[in-house]
Amino acid sequence: QVRLVESGGGSVQDGGSLRLSCAASENTYCEYGMGWYRQAPGKEREFVSFLDRAGNTNYRDSVKGRFTLSRGSARYTISLEMDSLKPEDTAMYYCSCVTQSGDNYWGQGVQVTVSS
């Protein structure tokens, strides 16, 4: 049961750019918002960016000014434009979906690797 379909990711050099996209599958309703989290090996999963139901876009301090989270044209789709990437951005990135009932779904993850 794949709830969220992610695309993008890859390997870039320091200062490069990547775009991640996420789309909810049929019958998956992210009414309370969608966003991205990331997890590096041996580290805890951490918040990156989230678009809530009120239309507010929030960012982790370390990515402000570099990452841009946007709503897609289709309902329950988002994209994350990542510019000026740094080695510390290297991680597995997971799409997050929060339903009206409070359930949270996660994508399978896409790898982002930034080399110096």
Side-chain angles (χ1 to χ4, degrees), residues 61-116:
D61 285 344
S62 62
V63 308
K64 288 181 179 178
R66 299 189 298 118
F67 291 10
T68 303
L69 182 64
S70 301
R71 190 187 304 276
S73 58
R75 196 173 189 184
Y76 304 133
T77 62
I78 56 170
S79 64
L80 183 68
E81 176 68 32
M82 304 183 293
D83 297 319
S84 301
L85 283 163
K86 305 174 180 180
E88 53 262 42
D89 295 316
T90 296
M92 186 73 73
Y93 283 68
Y94 297 91
C95 182
S96 172
C97 160
V98 184
T99 71
Q100 184 174 321
S101 60
D103 293 324
N104 181 266
Y105 297 115
W106 297 99
Q108 292 181 307
V110 292
Q111 181 66 42
V112 171
T113 302
V114 185
S115 59
S116 60

Side-chain angles (χ1 to χ4, degrees), residues 36-79:
W36 291 91
Y37 289 69
R38 66 189 182 188
Q39 186 171 25
K43 304 293 184 180
E44 294 185 350
R45 186 172 298 184
E46 63 183 24
F47 164 80
V48 176
S49 185
F50 198 86
L51 178 64
D52 65 24
R53 187 173 65 172
N56 300 310
T57 304
N58 303 294
Y59 299 92
R60 183 182 188 84
D61 285 344
S62 62
V63 308
K64 288 181 179 178
R66 299 189 298 118
F67 291 10
T68 303
L69 182 64
S70 301
R71 190 187 304 276
S73 58
R75 196 173 189 184
Y76 304 133
T77 62
I78 56 170
S79 64

